[in-house]
Amino acid sequence: MSNDHTHGHSAHAAPPNPYLEKHTTPEQTAALEQRVQALESLLVTKGLVSSETLDKLVETYENDLGPINGARVVARAWVDPAYKERLLKDATAAIAELGFSGLQGEHMVVVENTPDTHNLVVCTLCSCYPWPVLGLPPAWFKDAAYRSRSVVDPRGVLRDFGLELDASTAVKVWDSSAEIRYMVLPERPAGTEGMSEAELTALVSRDSMIGVAKVEPPAA
Amino acid sequence: MNGVHDMGGMTCYGPVKPEENEPVFHAEWEKRVFAMTMLGMGQLDTLDAFRHAIERMDPTHYLSSTYYEHWLAALETLAVEKGVLTPEEVATGVAQETGKRAEGPLPPEAVPAVVQGGAPCQRTEGRLTPRFSVGDQVRARNLNPTGHTRLPRYVRGKNGAIAQVYGTFVYPDTNAHGQGEQPQPLYSVCFTAQELWGPDAAATDNLYIDLWEDYLDPTSGEES
């Protein structure tokens, strides 16, 4: 996809704004490290948390949870029509069949892309995201630009990602304002008819399950 | 609260900018804040109270700080409000009173059960009979509460239709304020893009948002 889309007409030029420049200087990071270390020490002293348990939780979210889980769900739905039917009817149960469940995925709904419908998931009020299937969200999902504009200009946001939809394609935007968590079932690309479930899993990108991309056909 | 967090519909923040290599965490402190919040919050207050603590941040700080700074601010706020830390302890980082909590912290072995078990918000008590059915025409109420709500400004007063009846769920507007879960029906409500954004929006496009029953009024005649 061309870079033109990144700076195309949809990408509203933001005026210089100090509030949009996030804290990233080394000094600021050092100050945060110090403040957070002090807070951890306080909460450990008070018996609210233990550092070993914090380590274990971080390790879990860094290593064990990620979009590979969602990709497995998508690939299974592509090869097994009965599974796909269960997934679209009761996503929480169908996803649990593959072993994925838990925090921020307690109430899952999967929405299906078709040749004439494209789904896009956002959380305008905070950054709700289906952790068991996609892991923790990328920074852009949590930033103001995505949260604010996805509902009013979804086609422009998709152009930011290099995806230009036909005018005839219906866009459905899902604002996760409650505890339901949404995942997109992307379309299976052409040219994948002979591929195994494992090969298909490797094709499915995280972005396609948020709805900001399509699954690209395998390179010829 | 009509806060800066309620961002839906604004167009002033420029293009979406994905990072080059998208790390799960960008610094060690982010990991610690994430884990302290996940493990400590349950002992301090509800998820709804946590979200509201973020919403109460200074709006300029909210916009200029990163995601896990929001979590850090909310964690400090609730630790003080719930009496676990004093404001002086947060400011100095030095414990004044060392009284330990009776229960003690979760052990590392408990992490898999916490992560995989989750914290479901659907209830089998409370208001169980939904007032609306799929297809019913509704209008989002024009409510402007000063406390927590999950009814964003951009749908208030707009007409939509019930797309799904999800069941009875914990009501954030009370649960965030120590007023109990007061579970009530939750719906997926469909609004056309043109209803929300006017005639220039694509006629093909729709927005779906999850709204609790008390956010909605009927517009297609009262239910019988």
Side-chain angles (χ1 to χ4, degrees):
Chain A
M1 305 291 161
S2 101
N3 282 334
D4 293 343
H5 290 129
T6 312
H7 301 289
H9 66 277
S10 73
H12 307 263
N17 182 339
Y19 297 140
L20 298 182
E21 299 307 320
K22 303 290 188 183
H23 293 181
T24 50
T25 69
E27 293 74 21
Q28 285 162 329
T29 301
L32 278 164
E33 292 287 2
Q34 200 173 22
R35 177 172 155 209
V36 170
Q37 275 171 23
L39 182 64
E40 179 173 338
S41 162
L42 284 170
L43 294 181
V44 168
T45 303
K46 303 286 178 177
L48 198 74
V49 298
S50 90
S51 291
E52 295 71 31
T53 312
L54 300 180
D55 293 340
K56 175 75 180 165
L57 191 78
V58 168
E59 203 183 285
T60 303
Y61 279 95
E62 274 196 310
N63 303 328
D64 302 346
L65 288 169
I68 183 69
N69 295 357
R72 290 198 176 109
V73 171
V74 169
R76 176 65 56 86
W78 283 347
V79 300
D80 181 345
Y83 181 78
K84 179 176 155 184
E85 200 182 321
R86 293 200 296 283
L87 183 67
L88 295 176
K89 198 172 166 201
D90 182 352
T92 314
I95 290 167
E97 284 180 39
L98 302 194
F100 313 127
S101 65
L103 289 172
Q104 295 298 310
E106 295 93 341
H107 312 285
M108 289 293 305
V109 168
V110 169
V111 291
E112 184 187 14
N113 282 354
T114 65
D116 46 26
T117 303
H118 187 89
N119 292 281
L120 177 69
V121 178
V122 63
C123 170
T124 61
L125 292 172
C126 44
S127 302
C128 297
Y129 194 74
W131 296 358
V133 281
L134 298 188
L136 297 178
W140 59 259
F141 189 86
K142 303 177 282 192
D143 281 346
Y146 185 77
R147 284 171 49 198
S148 59
R149 200 155 57 88
S150 291
V151 289
V152 60
D153 182 21
R155 291 168 186 269
V157 165
L158 293 178
R159 269 182 229 117
D160 289 352
F161 285 89
L163 177 59
E164 179 81 41
L165 292 181
D166 290 342
S168 61
T169 303
V171 175
K172 292 184 177 181
V173 180
W174 299 83
D175 188 353
S176 318
S177 49
E179 301 304 333
I180 311 293
R181 296 290 167 267
Y182 294 91
M183 186 180 94
V184 175
L185 173 59
E187 281 181 273
R188 181 173 176 166
T192 60
E193 291 74 15
M195 292 177 76
S196 70
E197 190 174 332
E199 289 169 326
L200 291 168
T201 301
L203 278 189
V204 180
S205 67
R206 179 205 62 205
D207 286 359
S208 73
M209 295 180 280
I210 303 173
V212 295
K214 295 191 176 206
V215 177
E216 296 296 326
Chain B
M1 128 194 275
N2 292 347
V4 68
H5 68 284
D6 185 358
M7 294 184 155
M10 299 174 85
T11 52
C12 57
Y13 296 112
V16 181
K17 291 178 186 158
E19 292 172 291
E20 284 287 316
N21 58 343
E22 300 192 328
V24 176
F25 298 105
H26 297 73
E28 193 60 26
W29 70 265
E30 290 192 350
K31 302 179 188 180
R32 305 317 278 180
V33 168
F34 169 76
M36 281 193 281
T37 304
M38 296 302 296
L39 295 167
M41 268 309 303
Q43 300 175 63
L44 292 174
D45 211 327
T46 63
L47 176 58
D48 296 306
F50 175 69
R51 291 195 181 120
H52 190 52
I54 291 177
E55 293 158 12
R56 288 185 282 147
M57 286 175 69
D58 175 287
T60 60
H61 185 214
Y62 181 97
L63 285 178
S64 62
S65 57
T66 58
Y67 182 68
Y68 288 111
E69 282 180 86
H70 298 179
W71 283 37
L72 174 59
L75 183 59
E76 289 178 343
T77 297
L78 288 176
V80 169
E81 288 177 359
K82 293 292 155 183
V84 171
L85 300 177
T86 65
E88 294 70 34
E89 286 174 321
V90 170
T92 61
V94 179
Q96 293 166 327
E97 308 153 28
T98 50
K100 284 217 175 197
R101 299 165 57 84
E103 312 139 51
L106 271 184
E109 309 82 75
V111 165
V114 168
V115 170
Q116 284 155 34
C121 296
Q122 190 165 11
R123 296 292 180 264
T124 52
E125 64 221 19
R127 199 189 303 164
L128 296 177
T129 308
R131 179 181 188 184
F132 304 112
S133 312
V134 170
D136 282 0
Q137 303 295 307
V138 292
R139 180 178 301 127
R141 288 179 177 162
N142 182 14
L143 304 172
N144 291 272
T146 54
H148 182 63
T149 187
R150 297 292 283 183
L151 175 67
R153 273 171 285 188
Y154 79 89
V155 299
R156 294 178 194 168
K158 304 292 186 181
N159 294 306
I162 301 291
Q164 277 293 327
V165 182
Y166 279 135
T168 296
F169 282 74
V170 174
Y171 188 47
D173 300 44
T174 55
N175 199 41
H177 297 285
Q179 294 162 11
E181 295 191 340
Q182 305 199 25
Q184 59 170 271
L186 176 72
Y187 305 91
S188 170
V189 184
C190 176
F191 296 89
T192 67
Q194 293 191 336
E195 168 69 9
L196 296 176
W197 314 113
D200 290 343
T204 46
D205 297 355
N206 290 285
L207 177 121
Y208 294 76
I209 183 168
D210 299 336
L211 300 176
W212 276 264
E213 195 164 272
D214 281 3
Y215 298 164
L216 299 170
D217 278 323
T219 55
S220 52
E222 289 291 330
E223 66 284 1
S224 51

